[in-house]
């Protein structure tokens, strides 16, 4: 696929560098300063045209925190208040050459909006350049701006990962979740990881992006705790592969073993229930013991994002200034964001968006492993057709004709 000249500058200055940084956002070695893409002169990006009916805040529903600040109800406070609350959210160039060109509608957001959401499970003991993105989600909002769709790409999908100078990668074939780690090598950092992942997905599906977010799923715990809990309907009982109870307290297995005390496995029982942050995050991480392994985990993670969005619109968070500020502060520790140069406070304050009920979760490969006969996983013909529909902004029509791609999670 020929490389089109991107509308995006080689270095995207943050609209507001993160104040003091965040433990969830590792330093970008060789990046030339906070909020800078590295290697560029640091000039401000060209401003997008103002939309007649801007819809960036609709995206807030899907980031699970930033993407639910304005879902369906009026937001309180001034732009100055929102600007102050969002000061810790890091903004970087996460797309590179995978950003939409002007010819693809990237000059403004009047048409369809496509976002890349990358979930990483980073922990303090792990090196910043040794993290893979096991959750890869494409968010599509059609030009009608009345719906939002989530499509997960299986982590083990075989993909051509293009050459990437920033991390000295010559190009090659690997599982798609390796693209993030490869791009982060040799000082590429999370920014490089996201850029290489975006380019890999563009090569695989043909879809270019308006923006992107890196979501540290560990940081979601604080967001859920700020909300109080989320309602999750567990479709099949699963024993946690990562956590156990010690004296009634949930702990990582590695930490639990150090206590020398009796460990009782955490088990997520079938049925609808209110989950605290730690339980919801642990449930969304599970794939061992599930009937369709990573495919069930994909749907569980989509389900969690939707549950967070719904909770934020139901408990008065968005109309209570104190709650809203606390939620945005928690979000700042969980996200790295690329909004294409649009100030966060503008799209949060001015937008009204798709509610959690208007967020449709879609399955790839019919929700199960799609092998090539040699043990390698590929995207099925139906899934590739679904991404073609995304590219042409005909996803609603595709879903109508292929209802089997709709997730049954509640």
């Amino acid at each position: 696929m020929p490389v089109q000249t991107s509308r995006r500058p080689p270095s995207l200055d943050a609209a507001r560098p993160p104040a003091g940084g965040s433990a969830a956002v590792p330093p970008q070695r060789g990046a030339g300063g906070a909020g800078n893409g590295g290697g560029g002169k640091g000039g401000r990006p060209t401003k997008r045209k103002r939309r007649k009916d801007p819809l960036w805040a609709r995206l807030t529903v899907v980031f699970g925190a930033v993407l639910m600040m304005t879902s369906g109800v009026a937001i309180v406070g001034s732009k100055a208040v929102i600007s102050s609350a969002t000061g810790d959210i890091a903004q970087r160039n996460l797309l590179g050459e995978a950003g939409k060109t002007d010819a693809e509608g990237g000059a403004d957001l009047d048409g369809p909006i496509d976002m890349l959401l990358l979930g990483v499970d980073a922990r303090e003991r792990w090196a910043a350049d040794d993290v893979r993105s096991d959750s890869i989600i494409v968010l599509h909002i059609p030009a009608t701006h009345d719906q939002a769709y989530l499509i997960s790409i299986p982590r083990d999908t075989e993909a051509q990962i293009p050459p990437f100078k920033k991390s000295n990668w010559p190009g090659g074939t690997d599982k798609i979740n390796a693209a993030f780690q490869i791009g982060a090598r040799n000082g590429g950092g999370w920014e490089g990881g996201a850029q290489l992942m975006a380019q890999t997905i563009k090569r695989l599906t043909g879809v270019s992006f308006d923006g992107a977010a890196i979501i540290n799923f560990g940081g979601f715990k604080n967001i859920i705790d700020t909300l109080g809990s989320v309602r999750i309907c567990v479709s099949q009982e699963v024993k946690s592969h990562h956590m156990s109870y010690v004296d009634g307290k949930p702990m990582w297995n590695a930490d639990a073993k150090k206590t020398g005390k009796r460990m009782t496995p955490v088990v997520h029982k079938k049925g609808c229930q209110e989950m605290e942050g730690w339980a919801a995050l642990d449930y969304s991480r599970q794939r061992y013991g599930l009937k369709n392994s990573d495919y069930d985990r994909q749907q569980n993670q989509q389900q969690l994002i939707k549950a967070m969005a719904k909770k934020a619109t139901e408990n008065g968070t968005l109309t209570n200034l104190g709650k809203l500020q606390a939620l945005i502060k928690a979000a700042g520790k969980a996200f790295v964001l690329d909004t294409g140069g649009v100030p966060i406070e503008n799209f949060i304050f001015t937008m009204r968006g798709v509610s959690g009920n208007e967020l449709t979760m879609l399955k790839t490969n019919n929700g199960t492993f799609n092998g090539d006969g040699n043990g390698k996983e590929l995207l099925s013909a139906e899934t590739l057709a679904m991404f073609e529909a995304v590219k042409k902004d005909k996803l609603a029509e595709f879903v109508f004709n292929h209802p089997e791609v709709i997730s049954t999670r509640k």
Side-chain angles (χ1 to χ4, degrees), residues 320-402:
N320 182 300
L321 184 57
K323 289 183 179 181
L324 180 63
Q325 286 182 301
L327 187 60
I328 299 177
K329 288 284 188 182
K333 298 178 181 180
F335 297 97
V336 183
L337 192 62
D338 182 348
T339 65
V342 176
I344 295 180
E345 63 270 21
N346 282 2
F347 76 76
I348 288 182
F349 189 83
T350 63
M351 310 289 287
R352 297 297 180 265
V354 180
S355 72
N357 289 327
E358 293 169 321
L359 181 58
T360 301
M361 303 180 297
L362 303 180
K363 297 184 293 185
T364 50
N365 294 349
N366 200 30
T368 190
F369 182 83
N370 182 63
D372 66 350
N374 296 314
K376 296 180 179 179
E377 188 166 18
L378 303 174
L379 295 183
S380 67
E382 181 182 56
T383 295
L384 289 173
M386 181 162 57
F387 279 114
E388 183 67 17
V390 169
K391 183 178 178 181
K392 295 180 178 179
D393 194 24
K394 294 184 177 181
L395 187 56
E397 179 182 337
F398 179 89
V399 171
F400 180 81
N401 292 319
H402 299 265

Side-chain angles (χ1 to χ4, degrees), residues 239-286:
K239 175 182 174 182
S240 176
H241 191 71
H242 309 105
M243 300 189 75
S244 298
Y245 292 107
V246 175
D247 294 334
K249 179 182 178 181
M251 301 179 67
W252 290 107
N253 286 336
D255 296 327
K257 290 177 182 177
K258 294 177 183 178
T259 68
K261 297 182 178 181
R262 182 170 179 266
M263 297 167 57
T264 303
V266 169
V267 178
H268 300 285
K269 299 287 187 178
K270 186 176 180 178
C272 297
Q273 55 205 269
E274 290 289 327
M275 289 190 180
E276 298 178 36
W278 72 266
L281 262 296
D282 184 62
Y283 174 64
S284 73
R285 287 185 172 110
Q286 305 308 315

